[in-house]
Amino acid sequence: MWLNPEEVLLKNALKLWVTEKSNEFFLLQRRRGHGDTGGKFTGLLVGALDSVLDSNARVTPFRILLQMPGSQVSWTIACGAAVGEMNRHWDWLVQNLLHSLSVFENKEDVASFVKGKVKGLIAEEVRGRQAAQEEEPEKFREALLKFELCFGLPSSEKLVTTYSCCCWKGRVPRQGWLYLSINHMAFYSFLLGKEVKFVIPWAEVTRLERVSTGLMTDMVRVMTRRCQLDFSMFLSLDEAFGVIGQLADIALRRLLDSEGLELDRVLQQSSNITKRVLEEQALRTYVLALFRLPRGERLQEVALCSVWTPHARCHTTGTLFTTDSYLCFASREEGHCSLLIPLSEVISIEKAESTSLLPNPVIVSVRGKKAFQLIELQDRDSLVNGLTSRLRALQWKHSMFRSKKSLTSSSPYYTFCYDTMYCDGEDIEERALRQTVNTEALMACYHHSQPDPNNSTATMEQVKERLWEDHFPEYGRGVHMFRTEKIQKLVAMGIPESLRGELWMTFSDASSELASHPGYYSGLVTESMGQSSLATEEIERDLHRSLPDHPAFQNVKGIAALRRVLTAYAHRNPKIGYCQSMNILASVLLLYTKEEEAFSLLVAVCERMLPDYFNRRVIGAQVDQSVFEELIRDRLPELAEHIPDLSPLSSISLSWFLTLFLSVLPFRSAVCVVDCFFFHGIKAIFQLGLAVLDANATALCASADDSQALMILTGFLDQVKYDEDPSPPTPHPLSSQSGEEEGRPPVKQHTLITDLIADSYEKFGDLTVRQIEKLRCRHRIQVLQAHEDTTKENALRVVTPDVSLSPENLADVYDLFKTEHFINLYWGDGGTTLALQHHDPGRPYVEQYRVDRVQFKSLYMLLVPWLCGFHTDTVAHRTFTLLDQDRDSLITFREFAGWLDTLYFEELNEKVRLLYRLHIPPALTESEDDPSPLKSPQLSTTGPLHVEPPNGEMRDFQEQLKQMLKDLAKEKEKDVEQPVPPMNQREFIQFCKTLYSMFHGNPDENELFQAIATVTSLVLQIGEVGHRSRCSGSEVNSEGGAGDEVEDDHREGSQEEHPVFSTKEEEEGERKEGTSKSSGSESQSEWAVSYAQILASLLTEQQLVNFFEKPMDLSAKVAEAKVKQYHERAGLLMLQQGTS
């Protein structure tokens, strides 16, 4: 294959390569020993290396080099493992390039020409591979070329798909093409001589909607923080809207919360994203949500089929989804009939004889002497082969685990040791630990009140138990039971307490997970107990707040069990650790299941059924609250009309979702909600939430404020009772207000939870998992962007007191800073610092976005008021080193804003001080390579120095020194300077060089050059005076002594801290470091000047004072940077990629 040209210094290093073919410019070489069959040492060595090294480290056996006559440097331009492929590459070079190279006179031109051709071949191969993945390769290749030509983005910006559509500009439609890439959406139109072209990063998209207007019935609206774009006339609007939402969602999750929100492994590499991958990802997300599967499951096969359903005495048509560890069947109508079969429960998968009545049948046998029949499978052979191979791998894995377990002694319930070597001490410890773990549900020991077997509650429990016992033989029992509308009705009635734990384990499939990992929980308990962390401290605080009224948690046994479960989970998943509301959920689980089962259920809820709910920012819960608001507008329009701002209702309902109504409903009623949740997932909570609001819609519409709405909902939920709850009903909080004089009907005293659940199914049962997942995808964008807005507001709030930038300028600078961070993530070369690759929302607000040296230089070029020509890159490098206080090679927004504030809004002395510090350590290092002609040995100024200003006035050294002393006295009175180390002669020469380069191109260039020449001579003279004074060891003349005295006074001056460049301790450290360095320098040159002397010298020249005090317009600079930043950075990256 063709390679980006890589330089090779020695064409035959250590004689490891043998030349097969050669000409004037190219060599085809074979690795020595490759293909040798005679048992030579080199052949054996190569074979040994191939067997030891992995595939990524092995050297390909063939390569083609580009060589220049008379040069020792060559370039690898192709490599391969097959001689046939390399011969084809060689023939192409000979036939297409070799004759053309003879016309070049310069060797560098030959190398550049060949490199360019090879890179063009590579780009063509990349386009071909991308196009091959599409349904219409040639059409996609053409679109890819147009995309690269129109928008000028780097080649690493991968195009995903294109759509023909109309972009509306006011009332004028622009017909063109919408290009969707991994990081951007772009539009191009050229009609009637008018061109419309724009690029929008996904990171700027804040909202996606489908809207209807008077002109168009259906449009896609894309909203950013700066504009609103409407697109219409798509050939398939549903598809386009879905792809736009997916790409925006994926990009934002990758950029803004890469740690908290897990992405599919395929999507973690953006180069893998294609339109087909997006379709597969959307289907995978739906299947995982529908069956509540582990998030790591990969979708393998999807096939239409029919399953024999014994309860219906017929075959039910639907879709079979297979994943790594599951077979899942869903009927055409969601919720009508579904089936979940873990591969761990499967014994065999066999093909049966096909008949006209049973075409292409497959029999799946499971434990318990049950079998499922699937027919009408189109690609039966490949499906069965794939399932069989995965089944064998799983069975082998389990058999290996069981064989290891069989070596240990049997244990009644838990096994804490897996080693075969037991000692008496370990047996005693294991028995003691086993005694502390509950092997039965807490409800078996503790009840709110012991029920009378003759009362109605016991009778109803017996009725429910009989209904379920009648249901199991017909529909199945266990995880692979048929889940139909009938079982939904049984769940809505409330699961009997004797079966609740079993059915929770079945519905969530925690049972198969538990069976697949025996002893897992016990191992976590042994590892986690006794450890101390922030999570364990929070757990200890919340233990006694978990169902405090329940007798099970009023004693040591229940509290200890809760502690073990929560601590074990925090140890298992340190990313989540412990979050509030987990204690309430775990308490309820412990009441109805064994301790190990409760842990498995907690894992299922936190990691599968409520994804991203239990993390630092509860992103998942906030997304569902945003979805809930849209459902309210769609399903309860009258309520939404009376309450346009639904955020108060959303804040009230947040606890409903986080605790599954356990914190707001009476206990027995809330447990019925948990029953529905384990059967239907989050859909049950959405439905019940809508039912609660619908039941109180009239009262909520009449409420005067948010507090009254909260009272209405709280009072309603408090009086929702369980069917057989013997406690007296609680009146509605507003019932006392319904006087007879108002003619209102009497308020109902209580609501049965079963009636409320039935009402939710009847009115909102048509809500589907597919709809919820689509809404989640769109609303996650809004939630993440809302968090970004909060981060920006807080970062600006923290930085504003330290700078003089206007709020508008500071906000724009923040956007530029953040955009530079993102650009590097879009098109970085792969060497990006790990800290920049992963956005950590847990860092302080001003440190969430940081830039490295390359990114800072880009921003420096855009925003610095004084460019320094060819010296600009050097000054930017020193500035970064100075600002990087903690030496982590990263700069925060606070440091960056402080630097800009100094340049644009500080007094002259602070600007000069910044320039001064750029030319002493640590900003300037001894090892810095400076080819400047000014770099020279010590300059001597022993003779009288006279400088002729432009006006012809003569001023000698004495006169200028007196003026300097006066200025120093004034500065000392101001008490605003900080002590900085003195500057040696080398550093002063660099300082002068920077000043000269800053003035180049200025309208007053000649006057400024003359002024800096005067100042340079003056400072050199002052340094010479100090040098002679130290050499002679005697007192200098009064002027020189006063100058030194002023310098000493300055060193003892103000210690006022500047917020940008250093802390007081760091300043003192740098002062000491600089002093020691200066001492070393003086031992050689004995020449040094202070910051105060340089500042006073600059103040003697009005031209320099005017230059540094001239007001500068940061707003104009920022506005220009916002226009130039993106495309200049993209152009630079394209240039770098083209020359690399």
Side-chain angles (χ1 to χ4, degrees):
M1 62 179 179
W2 299 107
L3 298 175
N4 273 319
E6 298 178 359
E7 190 174 279
V8 179
L9 293 179
L10 298 175
K11 290 178 282 189
N12 197 8
L14 303 178
K15 296 184 178 181
L16 293 179
W17 293 91
V18 177
T19 300
E20 299 283 328
K21 297 181 182 180
S22 65
N23 54 44
E24 186 179 2
F25 294 102
F26 301 107
L27 291 173
L28 172 59
Q29 294 185 331
R30 172 179 57 84
R31 193 158 52 118
R32 185 178 297 275
H34 177 75
D36 289 348
T37 58
K40 295 182 179 180
F41 174 75
T42 53
L44 295 174
L45 177 62
V46 170
L49 289 174
D50 285 343
S51 62
V52 170
L53 297 177
D54 59 37
S55 59
N56 294 324
R58 293 175 188 167
V59 178
T60 53
F62 296 98
R63 69 179 184 180
I64 296 178
L65 299 181
L66 167 66
Q67 62 174 358
M68 293 295 105
S71 173
Q72 293 296 318
V73 179
S74 302
W75 292 269
T76 305
I77 59 175
C79 69
V83 66
E85 178 188 13
M86 300 308 295
N87 283 331
R88 287 194 297 272
H89 288 348
W90 178 267
D91 293 341
W92 189 92
L93 291 171
V94 171
Q95 295 171 11
N96 295 278
L97 288 187
L98 188 59
H99 299 295
S100 304
L101 300 182
S102 58
V103 302
F104 292 97
E105 298 180 357
N106 193 318
K107 292 188 292 184
E108 287 75 11
D109 293 341
V110 173
S112 299
F113 178 74
V114 174
K115 290 178 186 178
K117 283 291 185 181
V118 172
K119 289 177 181 177
L121 292 172
I122 295 172
E124 188 64 24
E125 284 185 354
V126 171
R127 294 192 192 99
R129 286 196 297 270
Q130 292 184 26
Q133 297 175 353
E134 303 299 324
E135 296 178 357
E136 300 180 19
E138 292 302 322
K139 188 175 180 181
F140 185 82
R141 186 192 299 268
E142 182 182 350
L144 184 59
L145 289 172
K146 289 182 179 179
F147 176 69
E148 294 175 352
L149 291 173
C150 290
F151 303 103
L153 299 178
S155 58
S156 55
E157 182 63 23
K158 187 175 185 298
L159 180 65
V160 177
T161 189
T162 61
Y163 292 100
S164 174
C165 65
C166 226
C167 180
W168 290 81
K169 191 174 182 181
R171 292 180 173 270
V172 180
R174 301 286 185 182
Q175 182 66 35
W177 286 90
L178 182 66
Y179 297 84
L180 306 180
S181 68
I182 54 177
N183 297 307
H184 304 81
M185 64 179 300
F187 180 80
Y188 183 82
S189 172
F190 187 82
L191 287 175
L192 303 177
K194 292 185 177 180
E195 183 182 61
V196 176
K197 178 171 65 173
F198 57 80
V199 177
I200 303 291
W202 294 123
E204 293 184 10
V205 174
T206 59
R207 194 181 190 92
L208 293 175
E209 294 178 339
R210 288 181 65 168
V211 297
S212 296
T213 65
L215 296 175
M216 296 300 299
T217 56
D218 210 359
M219 299 183 4
V220 174
R221 174 165 292 172
V222 180
M223 302 176 68
T224 71
R225 293 183 177 88
R226 300 177 183 176
C227 64
Q228 173 180 300
L229 301 168
D230 292 332
F231 301 93
S232 65
M233 299 180 66
F234 290 93
L235 187 62
S236 176
L237 189 137
D238 290 338
E239 177 191 305
F241 186 66
V243 172
I244 292 172
Q246 278 186 279
L247 286 172
D249 177 47
I250 292 169
L252 288 174
R253 291 164 71 186
R254 189 176 70 247
L255 296 172
L256 304 183
D257 205 354
S258 55
E259 291 293 333
L261 291 169
E262 299 178 6
L263 284 172
D264 182 74
R265 282 171 289 184
V266 176
L267 303 180
Q268 289 174 354
Q269 292 293 329
S270 56
S271 58
N272 296 332
I273 299 176
T274 64
K275 184 180 176 182
R276 185 180 304 168
V277 167
L278 291 178
E279 293 172 353
E280 294 172 355
Q281 174 66 14
L283 182 59
R284 173 184 174 273
T285 302
Y286 166 68
V287 172
L288 295 187
L290 181 62
F291 297 96
R292 277 89 69 191
L293 302 182
R295 299 179 73 181
E297 287 292 305
R298 294 172 299 174
L299 189 62
Q300 298 290 349
E301 296 100 3
V302 180
L304 297 175
C305 70
S306 296
V307 172
W308 174 255
T309 49
H311 57 274
R313 304 294 189 270
C314 67
H315 284 91
T316 300
T317 304
T319 307
L320 177 70
F321 306 97
T322 67
T323 68
D324 296 333
S325 307
Y326 293 90
L327 281 82
C328 311
F329 173 82
S331 59
R332 287 180 179 176
E333 182 182 350
E334 185 179 300
H336 176 67
C337 179
S338 63
L339 180 65
L340 179 66
I341 308 176
L343 280 181
S344 58
E345 295 286 318
V346 175
I347 297 175
S348 65
I349 301 174
E350 301 172 339
K351 292 182 287 186
E353 184 179 354
S354 181
T355 65
S356 58
L357 295 177
L358 300 174
N360 298 329
V362 172
I363 306 300
V364 180
S365 301
V366 299
R367 292 190 179 94
K369 299 181 179 180
K370 287 189 62 176
F372 298 92
Q373 184 188 72
L374 292 77
I375 63 171
E376 299 176 345
L377 288 162
Q378 295 297 324
D379 197 1
R380 182 178 65 165
D381 293 342
S382 62
L383 175 67
V384 171
N385 290 338
L387 285 172
T388 303
S389 62
R390 291 196 295 276
L391 177 62
R392 288 174 180 169
L394 189 65
Q395 290 174 341
W396 177 83
K397 180 179 177 181
H398 287 175
S399 65
M400 293 296 293
F401 187 83
R402 283 194 297 268
S403 64
K404 182 178 179 181
K405 293 288 291 179
S406 65
L407 296 176
T408 66
S409 59
S410 59
S411 59
Y413 192 76
Y414 290 97
T415 301
F416 288 88
C417 300
Y418 298 98
D419 196 346
T420 58
M421 302 300 293
Y422 284 114
C423 68
D424 294 338
E426 289 174 333
D427 286 338
I428 295 172
E429 181 182 1
E430 183 182 351
R431 284 197 298 271
L433 184 57
R434 186 180 297 122
Q435 291 172 0
T436 66
V437 177
N438 296 337
T439 58
E440 62 180 355
L442 293 178
M443 190 62 81
C445 304
Y446 305 97
H447 294 273
H448 276 295
S449 59
Q450 294 296 331
D452 182 0
N454 297 320
N455 66 15
S456 59
T457 302
T459 303
M460 185 55 68
E461 284 289 302
Q462 293 171 1
V463 171
K464 291 179 182 179
E465 289 175 4
R466 283 199 299 269
L467 288 174
W468 279 98
E469 294 299 334
D470 293 340
H471 179 85
F472 289 141
E474 191 173 4
Y475 291 83
R477 187 166 189 169
V479 67
H480 39 67
M481 67 165 60
F482 285 99
R483 308 179 190 202
T484 63
E485 294 174 347
K486 181 179 178 182
I487 200 173
Q488 172 185 304
K489 295 177 182 178
L490 291 176
V491 171
M493 292 171 58
I495 299 175
E497 289 191 358
S498 60
L499 296 174
R500 182 164 275 144
E502 175 192 342
L503 290 174
W504 284 1
M505 294 289 291
T506 295
F507 294 152
S508 65
D509 189 41
S511 56
S512 61
E513 286 290 308
L514 181 61
S516 300
H517 302 87
Y520 176 66
Y521 173 68
S522 59
L524 287 177
V525 170
T526 56
E527 293 173 11
S528 62
M529 294 308 291
Q531 294 186 0
S532 179
S533 65
L534 179 61
T536 57
E537 293 174 4
E538 294 176 347
I539 289 170
E540 290 298 326
R541 284 199 300 267
D542 287 349
L543 284 176
H544 295 279
R545 303 173 187 172
S546 309
L547 302 184
D549 297 331
H550 200 287
F553 299 99
Q554 294 173 351
N555 64 85
V556 177
K557 183 177 181 180
I559 293 296
L562 181 59
R563 177 187 291 111
R564 286 191 295 272
V565 169
L566 294 175
T567 305
Y569 184 79
H571 185 73
R572 164 195 163 86
N573 192 341
K575 282 187 179 180
I576 292 178
Y578 170 76
C579 295
Q580 287 187 349
S581 77
M582 287 174 63
N583 59 320
I584 299 175
L585 179 60
S587 301
V588 176
L589 299 178
L590 281 167
L591 288 175
Y592 295 100
T593 60
K594 299 173 183 178
E595 189 173 319
E596 188 177 33
E597 294 173 340
F599 173 80
S600 299
L601 285 171
L602 184 64
V603 171
V605 172
C606 294
E607 299 178 10
R608 291 194 276 124
M609 304 184 74
L610 295 177
D612 305 317
Y613 264 57
F614 301 95
N615 55 27
R616 190 166 41 233
R617 302 190 294 172
V618 292
I619 293 291
Q622 293 186 50
V623 170
D624 281 351
Q625 290 309 294
S626 186
V627 171
F628 190 52
E629 288 185 25
E630 180 162 336
L631 290 175
I632 294 173
R633 294 188 182 93
D634 184 41
R635 302 301 183 100
L636 302 173
E638 293 182 2
L639 179 61
E641 184 179 350
H642 282 82
I643 309 177
D645 183 11
L646 294 174
S647 55
L649 289 181
S650 179
S651 62
I652 295 171
S653 63
L654 179 61
S655 63
W656 304 354
F657 286 78
L658 281 173
T659 65
L660 308 180
F661 282 90
L662 287 167
S663 63
V664 294
L665 282 174
F667 175 75
R668 300 190 70 190
S669 301
V671 173
C672 292
V673 177
V674 178
D675 294 339
C676 297
F677 169 75
F678 277 116
F679 182 70
H680 272 302
I682 196 63
K683 172 186 169 182
I685 307 301
F686 279 114
Q687 291 178 177
L688 189 62
L690 291 171
V692 169
L693 295 180
D694 183 52
N696 294 273
T698 303
L700 290 172
C701 290
S703 61
D705 51 32
D706 298 342
S707 61
Q708 190 175 0
L710 175 61
M711 290 177 59
I712 293 170
L713 293 174
T714 302
F716 175 81
L717 292 170
D718 283 343
Q719 55 84 45
V720 174
K721 299 299 180 183
Y722 187 65
D723 286 13
E724 302 83 16
D725 199 332
S727 59
T730 304
H732 196 287
L734 296 184
S735 59
S736 60
Q737 301 176 8
S738 56
E740 295 181 1
E741 66 276 11
E742 298 179 7
R744 297 183 184 177
V747 178
K748 187 177 180 180
Q749 293 299 303
H750 68 269
T751 302
L752 296 179
I753 185 62
T754 51
D755 293 342
L756 188 60
I757 292 174
D759 193 46
S760 71
Y761 281 119
E762 180 182 350
K763 293 183 177 180
F764 309 107
D766 59 335
L767 181 65
T768 65
V769 173
R770 192 182 296 274
Q771 292 171 353
I772 292 174
E773 288 306 311
K774 288 182 178 180
L775 290 172
R776 277 176 165 177
C777 181
R778 286 199 292 111
H779 286 271
R780 191 181 293 111
I781 297 170
Q782 298 172 217
V783 170
L784 288 175
Q785 292 289 25
H787 276 273
E788 281 303 293
D789 292 339
T790 301
T791 298
K792 179 179 178 180
E793 291 170 4
N794 284 285
L796 298 182
R797 176 180 53 80
V798 171
V799 173
T800 297
D802 299 335
V803 298
S804 302
L805 279 72
S806 68
E808 296 78 12
N809 282 340
L810 190 60
D812 288 339
V813 169
Y814 181 90
D815 292 337
L816 290 170
F817 192 85
K818 177 179 170 181
T819 300
E820 190 64 36
H821 172 89
F822 283 163
I823 287 175
N824 199 66
L825 295 181
Y826 295 157
W827 308 314
D829 57 0
T832 307
T833 309
L834 185 63
L836 296 181
Q837 293 176 353
H838 298 286
H839 175 60
D840 183 7
R843 296 185 64 86
Y845 292 114
V846 293
E847 297 180 12
Q848 289 195 17
Y849 294 108
R850 294 171 289 174
V851 295
D852 59 16
R853 193 177 299 273
V854 174
Q855 295 167 307
F856 174 78
K857 287 182 180 179
S858 176
L859 289 169
Y860 183 95
M861 299 291 291
L862 290 170
L863 294 175
V864 72
W866 312 303
L867 290 175
C868 301
F870 292 110
H871 196 53
T872 300
D873 190 71
T874 301
V875 177
H877 173 83
R878 294 174 186 166
T879 305
F880 181 89
T881 304
L882 180 62
L883 296 180
D884 182 20
Q885 299 173 29
D886 51 6
R887 303 295 180 258
D888 61 352
S889 299
L890 297 171
I891 286 181
T892 67
F893 175 66
R894 181 201 289 270
E895 296 162 338
F896 184 79
W899 167 72
L900 271 185
D901 180 62
T902 301
L903 292 180
Y904 280 90
F905 299 104
E906 285 288 359
E907 299 293 336
L908 176 147
N909 61 320
E910 286 300 327
K911 296 178 183 178
V912 174
R913 183 180 182 282
L914 171 60
L915 287 172
Y916 183 94
R917 295 195 63 190
L918 292 178
H919 298 85
I920 59 175
L924 181 69
T925 61
E926 287 288 345
S927 60
E928 184 174 311
D929 183 22
D930 183 19
S932 169
L934 291 175
K935 189 174 183 180
S936 59
Q938 175 181 344
L939 300 178
S940 175
T941 56
T942 54
L945 176 64
H946 294 279
V947 179
E948 184 176 357
N951 57 9
E953 179 186 356
M954 297 293 295
R955 298 174 62 194
D956 62 12
F957 162 71
Q958 302 287 342
E959 198 175 320
Q960 295 183 39
L961 191 56
K962 288 178 182 179
Q963 179 64 40
M964 180 198 74
L965 294 176
K966 293 179 183 178
D967 294 332
L968 280 176
K970 292 179 182 178
E971 292 299 325
K972 181 181 177 183
E973 291 174 2
K974 293 180 181 178
D975 196 26
V976 294
E977 296 179 353
Q978 299 180 47
V980 289
M983 178 181 284
N984 63 32
Q985 191 173 89
R986 170 184 174 268
E987 295 163 353
F988 177 67
I989 295 300
Q990 291 296 317
F991 179 81
C992 295
K993 177 182 177 181
T994 300
L995 289 178
Y996 273 106
S997 60
M998 284 171 53
F999 302 149
H1000 185 71
N1002 191 284
D1004 301 324
E1005 179 179 357
N1006 293 333
E1007 292 80 0
L1008 289 169
F1009 282 167
Q1010 182 63 44
I1012 195 59
T1014 303
V1015 170
T1016 301
S1017 300
L1018 178 59
V1019 175
L1020 287 171
Q1021 183 69 54
I1022 294 172
E1024 187 63 29
V1025 170
H1027 160 63
R1028 284 183 294 176
S1029 172
R1030 286 185 291 273
C1031 288
S1032 63
S1034 59
E1035 282 191 28
V1036 297
N1037 55 60
S1038 60
E1039 292 85 353
D1044 291 340
E1045 181 180 349
V1046 171
E1047 179 184 348
D1048 294 337
D1049 290 342
H1050 168 67
R1051 291 177 180 274
E1052 299 172 0
S1054 169
Q1055 298 291 326
E1056 182 179 349
E1057 177 61 27
H1058 192 284
V1060 180
F1061 300 110
S1062 66
T1063 62
K1064 198 168 189 178
E1065 291 78 12
E1066 288 172 337
E1067 186 70 42
E1068 183 66 22
E1070 290 179 10
R1071 186 184 69 79
K1072 292 178 180 178
E1073 178 186 353
T1075 302
S1076 63
K1077 184 172 181 60
S1078 177
S1079 300
S1081 176
E1082 288 173 6
S1083 65
Q1084 299 176 3
S1085 63
E1086 298 184 357
W1087 191 100
V1089 292
S1090 69
Y1091 160 68
Q1093 292 169 331
I1094 290 178
L1095 175 63
S1097 302
L1098 289 173
L1099 291 174
T1100 62
E1101 294 295 328
Q1102 191 61 42
Q1103 284 287 350
L1104 298 178
V1105 173
N1106 293 340
F1107 177 84
F1108 285 109
E1109 290 189 341
K1110 179 181 178 181
M1112 290 171 289
D1113 188 0
L1114 178 61
S1115 301
K1117 200 74 174 178
V1118 168
E1120 182 183 2
K1122 287 161 67 175
V1123 175
K1124 295 167 58 177
Q1125 178 187 27
Y1126 219 75
H1127 292 289
E1128 282 195 0
R1129 191 84 159 90
L1132 179 62
L1133 286 167
M1134 290 181 68
L1135 183 63
Q1136 292 174 348
Q1137 292 174 2
T1139 58
S1140 61

